[in-house]
Amino acid sequence: MSKVVVVTSGKGGVGKTTTSASFATGLAMRGHKTAVIDFDVGLRNLDLIMGCERRVVYDFVNVINGEASLKQALIRDKAHDNLFILPASQTRDKDAFTKEGVGKVMDELRKSFDFIICDSPAGIEKGALMALYYADEALVVTNPEVSSVRDSDRILGILAAKSKRAEEGLEPIKEHLVVTRYSPSRVASGEMLSIEDIQDLLGIDLLGVIPESEAVLQASNSGVPVVRNEVCNSGQAYQDVISRFLGDDRPMRFLDTEKKGFLKRLFGT
């Protein structure tokens, strides 16, 4: 049975698209046929992070308007045959989204895919509401700062009240917390909220912690989702997120400051 997962948050710049790209890629790497959809009309970024920006011919809005078929608009990932990207439009208005139009696309995707990942734009405008409307589960992405957590709390209220599941009185969207750009040393110095603080404020289960890392930016600039970098901490952290999402028991890593060995202490490296 297929599952629709929205990657959302209230605040922009917290790592939603990075998370969407790595989460979808990681699921495909585990053998699941996966589609990832960019709902950010006008500010398309997912295709850049997925490394397929030059291959975009048709987009999500073209499909909704009947100007192209879903098969024409879906872009197969170069590295994984079971991963597909549905890009957003850069030129249309967000009003192009309708519940009926998005619903038809979702119904068609459900027939062929195990997972459909919806990369939500920031805020609570129409694109964000459409991204979460048909969701079965949600990854709520937040940074360890008060404003980001506050905005995520607002999104939790919207997930509980404005989804199709809420309207129909069905089982609510299952919510998972993903904390990005986490720095244990900055938490220790009081510059960032701790994981315990964030969980106390939001009250949802922690799925994973992505450490602050230059590798994330490097991966985005090169068009390769960081989950494919099995050496860096952030890539390993996204692999852990996917394992836990699929039901594996993985210990939570990257919560404590790295203890330097003798040589590192001696030479300060």
Side-chain angles (χ1 to χ4, degrees), residues 7-19 120 122 139-145 147-149 151-152 178-182 210 216 238:
V7 180
T8 186
S9 74
K11 188 176 174 63
V14 299
K16 284 187 299 298
T17 300
T18 295
T19 298
S120 173
L139 303 190
V140 179
V141 181
T142 190
N143 292 160
E145 57 180 51
S147 62
S148 180
V149 174
D151 289 347
S152 293
V178 177
V179 180
T180 55
R181 296 178 183 161
Y182 192 76
I210 314 300
V216 174
Y238 274 118

Side-chain angles (χ1 to χ4, degrees), residues 36-44 59-66 86-106 109 117-122 124-134:
V36 57
I37 308 173
D38 191 345
F39 275 80
D40 200 355
V41 172
L43 294 172
R44 189 171 77 202
D59 58 53
F60 193 7
V61 174
N62 290 139
V63 178
I64 290 173
N65 290 343
L86 182 56
S89 171
Q90 284 185 310
T91 58
R92 305 295 182 94
D93 189 88
K94 293 177 176 62
D95 289 334
F97 284 140
T98 63
K99 286 182 180 178
E100 295 74 21
V102 173
K104 286 180 181 178
V105 175
M106 291 296 177
L109 287 168
I117 312 305
C118 303
D119 180 28
S120 173
I124 54 172
E125 44 77 26
K126 192 168 186 178
L129 296 176
M130 285 294 98
L132 67 83
Y133 184 73
Y134 290 97

Side-chain angles (χ1 to χ4, degrees), residues 8-250:
T8 186
S9 74
K11 188 176 174 63
V14 299
K16 284 187 299 298
T17 300
T18 295
T19 298
S20 296
S22 281
F23 188 65
T25 300
L27 289 170
M29 290 167 69
R30 304 291 177 94
H32 299 283
K33 191 173 182 183
T34 305
V36 57
I37 308 173
D38 191 345
F39 275 80
D40 200 355
V41 172
L43 294 172
R44 189 171 77 202
N45 286 315
L46 180 65
D47 55 307
L48 291 170
I49 292 178
M50 300 292 288
C52 64
E53 70 277 8
R54 294 180 183 175
R55 297 161 61 202
V56 176
V57 178
Y58 295 110
D59 58 53
F60 193 7
V61 174
N62 290 139
V63 178
I64 290 173
N65 290 343
E67 298 159 351
S69 69
L70 181 59
K71 187 174 182 180
Q72 286 177 297
L74 283 170
I75 302 169
R76 186 191 295 269
D77 185 71
K78 293 177 182 177
H80 305 284
D81 287 342
N82 56 348
L83 176 61
F84 292 79
I85 302 97
L86 182 56
S89 171
Q90 284 185 310
T91 58
R92 305 295 182 94
D93 189 88
K94 293 177 176 62
D95 289 334
F97 284 140
T98 63
K99 286 182 180 178
E100 295 74 21
V102 173
K104 286 180 181 178
V105 175
M106 291 296 177
D107 288 343
E108 194 171 346
L109 287 168
R110 282 183 184 272
K111 295 173 185 176
S112 304
F113 289 90
D114 301 319
F115 291 100
I116 301 151
I117 312 305
C118 303
D119 180 28
S120 173
I124 54 172
E125 44 77 26
K126 192 168 186 178
L129 296 176
M130 285 294 98
L132 67 83
Y133 184 73
Y134 290 97
D136 301 307
E137 302 196 30
L139 303 190
V140 179
V141 181
T142 190
N143 292 160
E145 57 180 51
V146 173
S147 62
S148 180
V149 174
R150 180 193 61 197
D151 289 347
S152 293
D153 195 31
R154 189 178 185 191
I155 284 295
L156 290 174
I158 293 171
L159 287 168
K162 293 196 173 184
S163 68
K164 188 172 187 287
R165 285 176 169 269
E167 287 182 359
E168 297 180 355
L170 302 175
E171 186 178 345
I173 293 172
K174 187 175 181 180
E175 301 153 344
H176 309 273
L177 175 62
V178 177
V179 180
T180 55
R181 296 178 183 161
Y182 192 76
S183 169
S185 61
R186 294 178 68 187
V187 171
S189 66
E191 296 176 55
M192 286 183 171
L193 296 175
S194 69
I195 293 299
E196 293 77 15
D197 291 335
I198 297 168
Q199 286 187 281
D200 285 346
L201 290 165
L202 296 181
I204 60 175
D205 291 336
L206 179 66
L207 188 64
V209 177
I210 314 300
E212 197 169 41
S213 170
E214 289 184 7
V216 174
L217 179 59
Q218 292 167 359
S220 297
N221 288 339
S222 62
V224 179
V226 73
V227 72
R228 289 175 55 187
N229 185 340
E230 298 179 1
V231 177
C232 73
N233 286 354
S234 49
Q236 294 171 19
Y238 274 118
Q239 287 284 1
D240 287 351
V241 163
I242 291 144
S243 294
R244 295 187 196 101
F245 181 83
L246 294 174
D248 296 339
D249 186 17
R250 289 283 181 97

